[in-house]
Protein backbone atom coordinates (compact mmCIF):
# COMPACT_ATOMS: atom_id res chain seq x y z
CA UNK A 1 0.00 0.00 0.00
CA UNK A 2 1.21 3.52 -0.77
CA UNK A 3 2.14 5.76 2.16
CA UNK A 4 -0.02 8.61 0.84
CA UNK A 5 -3.02 6.26 1.11
CA UNK A 6 -2.30 5.87 4.83
CA UNK A 7 -1.34 9.45 5.69
CA UNK A 8 -2.57 12.54 3.84
CA UNK A 9 0.08 14.56 1.98
CA UNK A 10 2.74 11.89 2.58
CA UNK A 11 5.10 10.74 -0.20
CA UNK A 12 3.87 8.12 -2.68
CA UNK A 13 6.13 5.27 -1.59
CA UNK A 14 5.31 1.62 -1.00
CA UNK A 15 4.72 0.51 2.61
CA UNK A 16 4.56 -3.21 3.48
CA UNK A 17 3.97 -2.95 7.23
CA UNK A 18 3.85 -0.54 10.16
CA UNK A 19 4.83 -0.51 13.83
CA UNK A 20 5.76 1.71 16.78
CA UNK A 21 8.42 -0.75 17.96
CA UNK A 22 11.76 -0.17 16.22
CA UNK A 23 12.77 -3.79 16.97
CA UNK A 24 9.89 -5.02 14.79
CA UNK A 25 10.76 -2.84 11.81
CA UNK A 26 11.47 -4.71 8.58
CA UNK A 27 12.50 -3.36 5.18
CA UNK A 28 9.68 -1.28 3.73
CA UNK A 29 7.95 -0.61 7.07
CA UNK A 30 6.51 2.66 8.32
CA UNK A 31 7.85 3.40 11.82
CA UNK A 32 5.86 5.69 14.10
CA UNK A 33 7.69 7.18 17.08
CA UNK A 34 5.03 7.28 19.82
CA UNK A 35 7.31 7.49 22.88
CA UNK A 36 9.55 10.18 24.34
CA UNK A 37 12.56 7.96 23.58
CA UNK A 38 14.09 8.35 20.14
CA UNK A 39 14.39 5.02 18.35
CA UNK A 40 14.29 6.48 14.84
CA UNK A 41 17.90 5.66 14.01
CA UNK A 42 17.38 2.04 15.02
CA UNK A 43 14.26 1.93 12.84
CA UNK A 44 16.21 3.26 9.86
CA UNK A 45 18.94 0.66 10.39
CA UNK A 46 16.27 -2.06 10.36
CA UNK A 47 14.94 -0.87 7.01
CA UNK A 48 12.17 1.64 7.71
CA UNK A 49 10.92 3.25 4.49
CA UNK A 50 9.45 6.28 6.27
CA UNK A 51 9.11 7.61 9.80
CA UNK A 52 6.41 9.54 11.68
CA UNK A 53 7.67 11.82 14.47
CA UNK A 54 6.32 14.56 16.78
CA UNK A 55 6.29 18.19 15.59
CA UNK A 56 9.35 19.13 17.65
CA UNK A 57 11.58 16.45 16.08
CA UNK A 58 14.69 18.11 14.63
CA UNK A 59 17.03 15.37 13.39
CA UNK A 60 17.73 14.69 9.71
CA UNK A 61 17.19 11.13 8.51
CA UNK A 62 17.91 9.41 5.16
CA UNK A 63 14.22 8.46 4.72
CA UNK A 64 11.02 10.55 4.47
CA UNK A 65 9.99 12.03 7.83
CA UNK A 66 6.36 13.01 8.52
CA UNK A 67 5.76 15.33 11.46
CA UNK A 68 2.44 15.24 13.32
CA UNK A 69 0.97 16.61 16.52
CA UNK A 70 -0.30 13.18 17.57
CA UNK A 71 1.89 10.27 16.36
CA UNK A 72 -0.27 7.73 18.23
CA UNK A 73 -3.42 8.95 16.50
CA UNK A 74 -1.64 8.96 13.14
CA UNK A 75 -0.53 5.35 13.72
CA UNK A 76 -4.07 4.31 14.65
CA UNK A 77 -5.61 5.85 11.54
CA UNK A 78 -2.87 4.45 9.32
CA UNK A 79 -3.32 0.96 10.83
CA UNK A 80 -7.08 1.15 10.25
CA UNK A 81 -6.48 1.93 6.55
CA UNK A 82 -3.64 -0.58 6.17
CA UNK A 83 -5.65 -3.54 7.50
CA UNK A 84 -8.90 -2.28 6.00
CA UNK A 85 -11.84 -4.39 7.13
CA UNK A 86 -13.23 -4.49 10.63
CA UNK A 87 -16.41 -5.99 12.12
CA UNK A 88 -19.56 -4.09 11.25
CA UNK A 89 -20.85 -3.69 14.82
CA UNK A 90 -18.48 -2.69 17.65
CA UNK A 91 -19.20 -1.83 21.29
CA UNK A 92 -16.65 -0.24 23.61
CA UNK A 93 -16.66 -0.23 27.40
CA UNK A 94 -14.74 2.07 29.72
CA UNK A 95 -14.78 2.87 33.44
CA UNK A 96 -12.62 1.90 36.40
CA UNK A 97 -14.23 -1.44 37.21
CA UNK A 98 -16.50 -3.88 35.38
CA UNK A 99 -15.14 -3.54 31.83
CA UNK A 100 -13.92 -7.13 31.60
CA UNK A 101 -17.15 -8.67 32.83
CA UNK A 102 -19.31 -6.49 30.59
CA UNK A 103 -17.53 -7.21 27.31
CA UNK A 104 -17.55 -10.91 28.22
CA UNK A 105 -21.29 -10.76 28.96
CA UNK A 106 -21.98 -8.98 25.65
CA UNK A 107 -20.08 -11.68 23.76
CA UNK A 108 -21.99 -14.40 25.61
CA UNK A 109 -25.38 -12.82 24.87
CA UNK A 110 -24.67 -12.26 21.18
CA UNK A 111 -23.26 -15.77 20.80
CA UNK A 112 -26.39 -17.22 22.40
CA UNK A 113 -28.40 -15.16 19.90
CA UNK A 114 -26.42 -17.09 17.21
CA UNK A 115 -24.41 -14.08 16.05
CA UNK A 116 -20.68 -14.53 15.41
CA UNK A 117 -19.35 -12.37 18.24
CA UNK A 118 -15.99 -11.78 19.92
CA UNK A 119 -14.63 -9.85 22.89
CA UNK A 120 -11.28 -8.14 23.40
CA UNK A 121 -9.66 -6.94 26.63
CA UNK A 122 -7.98 -8.06 29.83
CA UNK A 123 -8.98 -11.71 29.35
CA UNK A 124 -7.53 -11.61 25.83
CA UNK A 125 -9.11 -12.13 22.47
CA UNK A 126 -12.16 -14.48 22.62
CA UNK A 127 -14.12 -15.68 19.59
CA UNK A 128 -17.56 -17.10 20.32
CA UNK A 129 -17.18 -19.82 22.95
CA UNK A 130 -13.53 -20.54 22.18
CA UNK A 131 -10.70 -20.34 24.71
CA UNK A 132 -9.14 -16.87 25.06
CA UNK A 133 -5.93 -15.89 23.31
CA UNK A 134 -4.01 -13.90 26.00
CA UNK A 135 -3.24 -10.21 25.50
CA UNK A 136 -0.42 -8.22 27.16
CA UNK A 137 -2.63 -5.23 28.02
CA UNK A 138 -6.29 -4.37 28.54
CA UNK A 139 -6.09 -2.41 25.28
CA UNK A 140 -3.50 -3.71 22.80
CA UNK A 141 -1.54 -1.32 20.60
CA UNK A 142 -2.93 0.21 17.42
CA UNK A 143 -1.32 -2.22 14.98
CA UNK A 144 -2.28 -5.37 16.90
CA UNK A 145 -5.82 -4.09 17.43
CA UNK A 146 -6.50 -3.36 13.77
CA UNK A 147 -4.83 -6.59 12.65
CA UNK A 148 -7.08 -8.56 15.02
CA UNK A 149 -10.18 -6.64 13.93
CA UNK A 150 -9.37 -7.37 10.29
CA UNK A 151 -8.91 -11.08 11.10
CA UNK A 152 -12.27 -11.14 12.88
CA UNK A 153 -13.99 -9.52 9.90
CA UNK A 154 -12.33 -11.99 7.54
CA UNK A 155 -13.59 -14.88 9.70
CA UNK A 156 -17.14 -13.55 9.61
CA UNK A 157 -17.30 -12.05 13.10
CA UNK A 158 -19.55 -9.02 12.67
CA UNK A 159 -19.93 -8.21 16.38
CA UNK A 160 -17.18 -7.23 18.81
CA UNK A 161 -17.23 -5.90 22.36
CA UNK A 162 -13.94 -4.43 23.55
CA UNK A 163 -12.53 -2.84 26.66
CA UNK A 164 -11.21 0.69 26.29
CA UNK A 165 -8.84 1.57 29.14
CA UNK A 166 -7.97 5.15 30.00
CA UNK A 167 -4.38 4.51 28.86
CA UNK A 168 -5.61 2.99 25.62
CA UNK A 169 -7.87 5.95 24.94
CA UNK A 170 -5.48 8.81 25.66
CA UNK A 171 -2.64 7.03 23.85
CA UNK A 172 -4.99 6.50 20.85
CA UNK A 173 -4.54 2.72 20.99
CA UNK A 174 -8.21 2.38 20.01
CA UNK A 175 -7.92 5.21 17.49
CA UNK A 176 -9.33 4.48 14.06
CA UNK A 177 -12.19 2.40 15.53
CA UNK A 178 -15.72 3.75 15.13
CA UNK A 179 -17.99 2.43 17.88
CA UNK A 180 -21.73 1.87 17.36
CA UNK A 181 -22.36 1.99 21.09
CA UNK A 182 -20.24 2.53 24.20
CA UNK A 183 -20.72 1.88 27.91
CA UNK A 184 -19.45 3.72 31.00
CA UNK A 185 -19.35 1.73 34.24
CA UNK A 186 -18.02 3.91 37.08
CA UNK A 187 -15.17 6.22 38.02
CA UNK A 188 -13.12 5.56 41.15
CA UNK A 189 -9.48 6.04 42.09
CA UNK A 190 -7.01 4.20 39.87
CA UNK A 191 -4.05 4.99 37.60
CA UNK A 192 -3.37 8.36 39.24
CA UNK A 193 0.33 7.62 38.95
CA UNK A 194 -0.25 8.16 35.21
CA UNK A 195 -3.15 10.62 34.99
CA UNK A 196 -2.22 12.64 38.12
CA UNK A 197 -5.78 13.92 38.75
CA UNK A 198 -9.29 12.47 38.65
CA UNK A 199 -10.21 15.20 36.15
CA UNK A 200 -7.54 13.97 33.74
CA UNK A 201 -8.63 10.38 34.33
CA UNK A 202 -12.24 11.20 33.42
CA UNK A 203 -11.16 13.27 30.42
CA UNK A 204 -9.25 10.25 29.07
CA UNK A 205 -12.31 8.04 29.36
CA UNK A 206 -14.59 10.63 27.72
CA UNK A 207 -12.55 10.31 24.50
CA UNK A 208 -14.50 7.10 23.82
CA UNK A 209 -17.78 9.02 23.73
CA UNK A 210 -16.85 12.41 22.32
CA UNK A 211 -14.35 11.30 19.65
CA UNK A 212 -14.84 7.63 18.86
CA UNK A 213 -18.52 6.82 19.32
CA UNK A 214 -20.07 7.42 15.91
CA UNK A 215 -22.43 10.34 15.28
CA UNK A 216 -25.86 9.34 16.55
CA UNK A 217 -24.43 6.32 18.39
CA UNK A 218 -25.76 5.42 21.83
CA UNK A 219 -23.87 5.82 25.09
CA UNK A 220 -25.02 3.31 27.72
CA UNK A 221 -24.26 5.12 30.98
CA UNK A 222 -24.46 4.25 34.68
CA UNK A 223 -26.99 6.73 36.07
CA UNK A 224 -26.07 5.97 39.70
CA UNK A 225 -22.56 7.49 39.68
CA UNK A 226 -21.57 11.02 40.70
CA UNK A 227 -20.26 12.02 37.27
CA UNK A 228 -23.29 10.77 35.31
CA UNK A 229 -24.66 14.24 34.51
CA UNK A 230 -21.24 15.42 33.28
CA UNK A 231 -20.75 12.36 31.05
CA UNK A 232 -24.30 12.56 29.72
CA UNK A 233 -23.90 16.21 28.79
CA UNK A 234 -20.58 15.53 27.03
CA UNK A 235 -22.32 12.82 25.00
CA UNK A 236 -25.29 15.01 24.08
CA UNK A 237 -23.04 17.95 23.19
CA UNK A 238 -21.14 15.73 20.74
CA UNK A 239 -24.27 14.45 19.01
CA UNK A 240 -24.66 11.11 20.76
CA UNK A 241 -27.77 9.48 22.25
CA UNK A 242 -27.89 8.30 25.88
CA UNK A 243 -29.46 5.19 27.43
CA UNK A 244 -29.07 5.29 31.22
CA UNK A 245 -29.02 2.19 33.41
CA UNK A 246 -29.25 1.61 37.17
CA UNK A 247 -31.65 2.53 39.95
CA UNK A 248 -31.78 6.03 38.45
CA UNK A 249 -31.83 4.77 34.88
CA UNK A 250 -34.44 5.54 32.26
CA UNK A 251 -34.13 3.08 29.37
CA UNK A 252 -32.78 0.39 31.73
CA UNK A 253 -34.16 0.98 35.23
CA UNK A 254 -33.38 -1.41 38.11
CA UNK A 255 -36.40 -1.52 40.42
CA UNK A 256 -35.30 -4.17 42.92
CA UNK A 257 -32.47 -6.67 43.51
CA UNK A 258 -32.97 -9.63 45.85
CA UNK A 259 -29.92 -11.76 46.88
CA UNK A 260 -30.31 -15.49 46.33
CA UNK A 261 -28.06 -18.36 47.38
CA UNK A 262 -26.22 -18.56 44.06
CA UNK A 263 -27.15 -15.25 42.47
CA UNK A 264 -29.94 -12.69 42.60
CA UNK A 265 -33.37 -11.80 41.30
CA UNK A 266 -33.77 -8.51 39.46
CA UNK A 267 -36.92 -6.55 38.77
CA UNK A 268 -36.35 -4.03 36.03
CA UNK A 269 -37.86 -1.89 33.33
CA UNK A 270 -36.02 -2.62 30.08
CA UNK A 271 -36.79 -0.61 26.96
CA UNK A 272 -40.31 0.16 28.14
CA UNK A 273 -41.29 -3.27 29.45
CA UNK A 274 -41.23 -4.81 32.94
CA UNK A 275 -39.24 -7.99 33.61
CA UNK A 276 -38.30 -10.23 36.55
CA UNK A 277 -35.11 -12.15 35.84
CA UNK A 278 -32.71 -14.29 37.83
CA UNK A 279 -28.97 -14.06 37.18
CA UNK A 280 -26.38 -16.55 38.52
CA UNK A 281 -24.13 -13.74 39.81
CA UNK A 282 -23.78 -12.20 43.27
CA UNK A 283 -23.52 -8.53 44.15
CA UNK A 284 -25.06 -5.22 43.13
CA UNK A 285 -22.08 -4.35 40.96
CA UNK A 286 -22.56 -7.56 38.97
CA UNK A 287 -26.22 -6.62 38.52
CA UNK A 288 -25.03 -3.28 37.14
CA UNK A 289 -22.56 -5.02 34.84
CA UNK A 290 -25.37 -7.21 33.49
CA UNK A 291 -27.61 -4.18 32.90
CA UNK A 292 -24.86 -2.41 30.96
CA UNK A 293 -24.18 -5.53 28.88
CA UNK A 294 -27.89 -5.99 28.14
CA UNK A 295 -28.10 -2.37 27.02
CA UNK A 296 -25.05 -2.65 24.76
CA UNK A 297 -26.32 -5.90 23.21
CA UNK A 298 -29.75 -4.32 22.65
CA UNK A 299 -28.19 -1.28 20.98
CA UNK A 300 -25.94 -3.44 18.76
CA UNK A 301 -28.76 -5.70 17.57
CA UNK A 302 -31.88 -3.55 17.92
CA UNK A 303 -33.58 -6.55 19.60
CA UNK A 304 -34.06 -5.75 23.32
CA UNK A 305 -36.88 -8.28 23.78
CA UNK A 306 -34.66 -11.09 22.52
CA UNK A 307 -31.56 -9.89 24.40
CA UNK A 308 -33.31 -9.97 27.79
CA UNK A 309 -34.18 -13.66 27.36
CA UNK A 310 -30.53 -14.65 27.73
CA UNK A 311 -29.77 -12.76 30.95
CA UNK A 312 -30.34 -15.84 33.13
CA UNK A 313 -27.77 -17.82 31.12
CA UNK A 314 -24.87 -15.38 31.57
CA UNK A 315 -21.95 -16.81 33.54
CA UNK A 316 -19.23 -14.89 35.34
CA UNK A 317 -16.03 -13.96 33.56
CA UNK A 318 -12.93 -15.85 34.70
CA UNK A 319 -11.51 -14.34 37.88
CA UNK A 320 -14.39 -11.91 38.29
CA UNK A 321 -16.12 -12.85 41.55
CA UNK A 322 -15.83 -16.43 40.39
CA UNK A 323 -16.80 -19.29 42.70
CA UNK A 324 -13.57 -21.29 42.63
CA UNK A 325 -14.43 -24.02 45.12
CA UNK A 326 -16.25 -25.20 48.26
CA UNK A 327 -14.33 -26.47 51.31
CA UNK A 328 -15.80 -27.48 54.68
CA UNK A 329 -19.08 -25.87 53.66
CA UNK A 330 -17.28 -22.59 52.93
CA UNK A 331 -17.11 -20.83 49.55
CA UNK A 332 -13.88 -19.58 47.95
CA UNK A 333 -14.23 -16.77 45.42
CA UNK A 334 -11.54 -15.37 43.13
CA UNK A 335 -11.84 -11.75 42.05
CA UNK A 336 -9.59 -9.33 40.18
CA UNK A 337 -10.37 -6.50 42.63
CA UNK A 338 -7.17 -4.44 42.83
CA UNK A 339 -8.59 -0.97 43.51
CA UNK A 340 -10.24 0.37 46.68
CA UNK A 341 -13.65 0.60 45.03
CA UNK A 342 -13.44 -2.91 43.58
CA UNK A 343 -12.31 -4.42 46.89
CA UNK A 344 -15.11 -2.66 48.77
CA UNK A 345 -17.66 -3.79 46.19
CA UNK A 346 -16.69 -7.45 46.25
CA UNK A 347 -16.65 -7.61 50.06
CA UNK A 348 -20.04 -5.91 50.33
CA UNK A 349 -21.43 -8.03 47.52
CA UNK A 350 -20.55 -11.29 49.24
CA UNK A 351 -21.52 -10.25 52.78
CA UNK A 352 -25.22 -11.24 52.25
CA UNK A 353 -24.02 -14.70 51.15
CA UNK A 354 -21.90 -15.22 54.31
CA UNK A 355 -23.38 -17.14 57.24
CA UNK A 356 -20.06 -17.48 59.08
CA UNK A 357 -17.02 -15.24 58.77
CA UNK A 358 -16.06 -13.27 55.70
CA UNK A 359 -12.33 -13.59 55.00
CA UNK A 360 -10.39 -11.55 52.45
CA UNK A 361 -6.87 -12.17 51.12
CA UNK A 362 -5.26 -9.36 49.12
CA UNK A 363 -2.19 -7.27 48.36
CA UNK A 364 -1.27 -4.25 46.23
CA UNK A 365 0.86 -4.00 43.09
CA UNK A 366 4.28 -2.43 43.06
CA UNK A 367 5.31 0.48 40.78
CA UNK A 368 1.71 1.70 40.86
CA UNK A 369 -0.36 4.22 42.82
CA UNK A 370 0.91 3.77 46.40
CA UNK A 371 -1.84 5.99 47.79
CA UNK A 372 -4.42 3.24 47.51
CA UNK A 373 -2.51 0.83 49.78
CA UNK A 374 -3.68 2.23 53.15
CA UNK A 375 -7.14 2.79 51.69
CA UNK A 376 -7.45 -0.88 50.76
CA UNK A 377 -5.98 -1.90 54.11
CA UNK A 378 -8.57 0.13 55.97
CA UNK A 379 -11.42 -1.27 53.85
CA UNK A 380 -10.37 -4.87 54.53
CA UNK A 381 -9.94 -4.11 58.23
CA UNK A 382 -13.38 -2.50 58.54
CA UNK A 383 -15.47 -4.66 56.22
CA UNK A 384 -14.06 -8.20 56.54
CA UNK A 385 -13.98 -10.42 59.61
CA UNK A 386 -10.53 -11.82 58.83
CA UNK A 387 -7.86 -10.28 56.56
CA UNK A 388 -4.73 -11.85 55.08
CA UNK A 389 -2.24 -9.33 53.65
CA UNK A 390 -0.02 -10.90 51.01
CA UNK A 391 1.87 -10.10 47.82
CA UNK A 392 0.14 -9.17 44.58
CA UNK A 393 2.61 -8.18 41.83
CA UNK A 394 5.45 -6.38 43.67
CA UNK A 395 7.18 -5.77 40.32
CA UNK A 396 10.42 -3.92 41.12
CA UNK A 397 9.36 -2.61 44.55
CA UNK A 398 10.18 -4.11 47.94
CA UNK A 399 7.25 -6.43 48.72
CA UNK A 400 7.84 -6.09 52.48
CA UNK A 401 7.46 -2.33 52.22
CA UNK A 402 4.23 -2.62 50.21
CA UNK A 403 2.70 -4.93 52.81
CA UNK A 404 3.80 -2.67 55.66
CA UNK A 405 1.97 0.25 54.04
CA UNK A 406 -1.18 -1.87 53.90
CA UNK A 407 -0.75 -3.27 57.42
CA UNK A 408 -0.46 0.25 58.89
CA UNK A 409 -4.17 0.68 58.13
CA UNK A 410 -5.15 -2.97 58.69
CA UNK A 411 -4.32 -3.95 62.29
CA UNK A 412 -6.41 -7.13 62.10
CA UNK A 413 -4.46 -8.25 59.03
CA UNK A 414 -2.27 -11.36 59.01
CA UNK A 415 0.96 -10.54 57.17
CA UNK A 416 1.89 -13.56 55.01
CA UNK A 417 4.07 -12.49 52.10
CA UNK A 418 4.18 -15.74 50.13
CA UNK A 419 0.85 -15.78 48.30
CA UNK A 420 0.70 -19.58 48.02
CA UNK A 421 1.31 -19.90 51.78
CA UNK A 422 -1.30 -17.24 52.48
CA UNK A 423 -3.91 -19.08 50.41
CA UNK A 424 -2.99 -22.38 52.07
CA UNK A 425 -3.37 -20.80 55.53
CA UNK A 426 -6.65 -19.08 54.72
CA UNK A 427 -8.22 -22.23 53.27
CA UNK A 428 -7.06 -24.37 56.19
CA UNK A 429 -8.91 -22.03 58.56
CA UNK A 430 -12.24 -22.13 56.71
CA UNK A 431 -15.30 -23.16 58.68
CA UNK A 432 -18.86 -23.97 57.50
CA UNK A 433 -20.68 -20.85 56.30
CA UNK A 434 -17.48 -18.84 55.74
CA UNK A 435 -16.67 -17.00 52.53
CA UNK A 436 -13.06 -16.46 51.43
CA UNK A 437 -12.26 -13.83 48.81
CA UNK A 438 -8.92 -14.06 47.00
CA UNK A 439 -8.59 -10.56 45.59
CA UNK A 440 -6.23 -8.84 43.21
CA UNK A 441 -5.01 -11.33 40.60
CA UNK A 442 -8.18 -12.85 39.18
CA UNK A 443 -7.47 -14.61 35.88
CA UNK A 444 -3.71 -13.93 35.93
CA UNK A 445 -1.30 -16.87 35.69
CA UNK A 446 1.89 -15.02 36.57
CA UNK A 447 3.32 -13.03 39.47
CA UNK A 448 5.72 -10.17 38.73
CA UNK A 449 8.50 -10.19 41.35
CA UNK A 450 11.87 -8.39 41.18
CA UNK A 451 11.41 -7.63 37.50
CA UNK A 452 10.62 -11.24 36.54
CA UNK A 453 7.33 -13.01 35.92
CA UNK A 454 6.90 -16.30 37.81
CA UNK A 455 4.07 -18.74 37.07
CA UNK A 456 1.32 -18.33 39.65
CA UNK A 457 -2.42 -18.92 39.56
CA UNK A 458 -4.92 -18.36 42.36
CA UNK A 459 -7.10 -20.99 40.66
CA UNK A 460 -4.34 -23.60 40.82
CA UNK A 461 -3.60 -22.81 44.46
CA UNK A 462 -7.26 -23.18 45.39
CA UNK A 463 -7.41 -26.53 43.60
CA UNK A 464 -4.36 -27.75 45.53
CA UNK A 465 -5.99 -26.90 48.84
CA UNK A 466 -9.52 -28.16 48.29
Amino acid sequence: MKLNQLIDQAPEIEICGLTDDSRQVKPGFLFVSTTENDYTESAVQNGAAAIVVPLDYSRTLPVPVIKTAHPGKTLARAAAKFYGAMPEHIAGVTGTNGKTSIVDFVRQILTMMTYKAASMGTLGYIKGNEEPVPAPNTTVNQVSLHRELAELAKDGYNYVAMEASSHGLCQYRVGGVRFDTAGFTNLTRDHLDYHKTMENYLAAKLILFTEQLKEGGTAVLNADIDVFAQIKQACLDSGKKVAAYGYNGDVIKLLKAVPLTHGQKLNLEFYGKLYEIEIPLAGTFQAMNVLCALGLAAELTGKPEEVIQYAAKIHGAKGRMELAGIKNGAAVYIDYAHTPDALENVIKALRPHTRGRLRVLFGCGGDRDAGKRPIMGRLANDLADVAYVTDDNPRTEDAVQIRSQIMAACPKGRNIGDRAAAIRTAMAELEPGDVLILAGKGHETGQYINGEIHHFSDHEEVAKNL
Side-chain angles (χ1 to χ4, degrees), residues 110-122:
L110 296 176
T111 301
M112 287 186 281
M113 292 173 72
T114 71
Y115 292 111
K116 291 193 74 173
S119 58
M120 304 169 76
T122 307

Side-chain angles (χ1 to χ4, degrees), residues 123-368:
L123 295 180
Y125 168 38
I126 308 175
K127 296 162 66 173
N129 292 319
E130 294 179 13
E131 287 297 307
V133 177
N137 302 101
T138 298
T139 309
V140 297
N141 71 19
Q142 296 93 323
V143 177
S144 297
L145 174 64
H146 285 286
R147 182 172 58 243
E148 289 172 359
L149 288 173
E151 288 173 359
L152 286 171
K154 180 182 177 182
D155 292 342
Y157 285 83
N158 286 324
Y159 291 85
V160 175
M162 70 168 69
E163 296 181 55
S165 68
S166 56
H167 291 71
L169 287 163
C170 67
Q171 293 170 5
Y172 300 105
R173 279 188 258 149
V174 291
V177 178
R178 271 284 173 257
F179 294 92
D180 298 277
T181 185
F184 197 108
T185 62
N186 46 60
L187 188 79
T188 60
R189 181 180 179 127
D190 199 16
H191 302 306
L192 294 193
D193 54 317
Y194 180 84
H195 296 290
K196 307 305 180 188
T197 68
M198 290 298 290
E199 290 75 20
N200 292 343
Y201 186 33
L202 175 59
K205 292 190 174 297
L206 285 179
I207 292 171
L208 177 62
F209 303 92
T210 58
E211 296 184 27
Q212 296 203 240
L213 179 59
K214 70 181 184 182
E215 185 78 19
T218 301
V220 180
L221 307 179
N222 186 343
D224 296 347
I225 59 176
D226 293 342
V227 291
F228 167 68
Q230 184 179 347
I231 301 169
K232 178 181 178 180
Q233 195 58 53
C235 291
L236 297 176
D237 290 346
S238 57
K240 316 301 162 53
K241 296 181 289 186
V242 171
Y245 69 92
Y247 284 106
N248 295 307
D250 49 15
V251 176
I252 309 161
K253 186 175 183 63
L254 180 59
L255 304 172
K256 187 179 181 182
V258 179
L260 302 174
T261 305
H262 299 294
Q264 54 192 310
K265 180 168 64 178
L266 307 180
N267 293 91
L268 66 152
E269 184 178 338
F270 187 70
Y271 287 82
K273 295 190 177 183
L274 295 175
Y275 295 91
E276 181 177 278
I277 60 174
E278 288 188 10
I279 57 173
L281 303 160
T284 301
F285 73 92
Q286 282 285 48
M288 293 298 178
N289 290 342
V290 168
L291 296 185
C292 184
L294 291 171
L296 292 169
E299 292 296 329
L300 283 176
T301 63
K303 299 178 179 180
E305 292 183 21
E306 185 177 349
V307 164
I308 196 73
Q309 296 174 23
Y310 295 100
K313 297 181 181 179
I314 293 172
H315 57 81
K318 187 174 180 64
R320 267 58 180 180
M321 207 156 76
E322 177 188 3
L323 181 61
I326 303 288
K327 182 175 183 180
N328 296 338
V332 181
Y333 284 87
I334 293 176
D335 191 80
Y336 191 51
H338 60 285
T339 66
D341 181 65
L343 185 64
E344 179 177 6
N345 282 338
V346 72
I347 293 174
K348 287 183 174 179
L350 288 170
R351 176 60 75 180
H353 302 265
T354 308
R355 298 192 316 275
R357 290 194 287 181
L358 195 156
R359 304 166 184 266
V360 62
L361 181 150
F362 74 107
C364 290
D367 303 333
R368 298 293 187 271

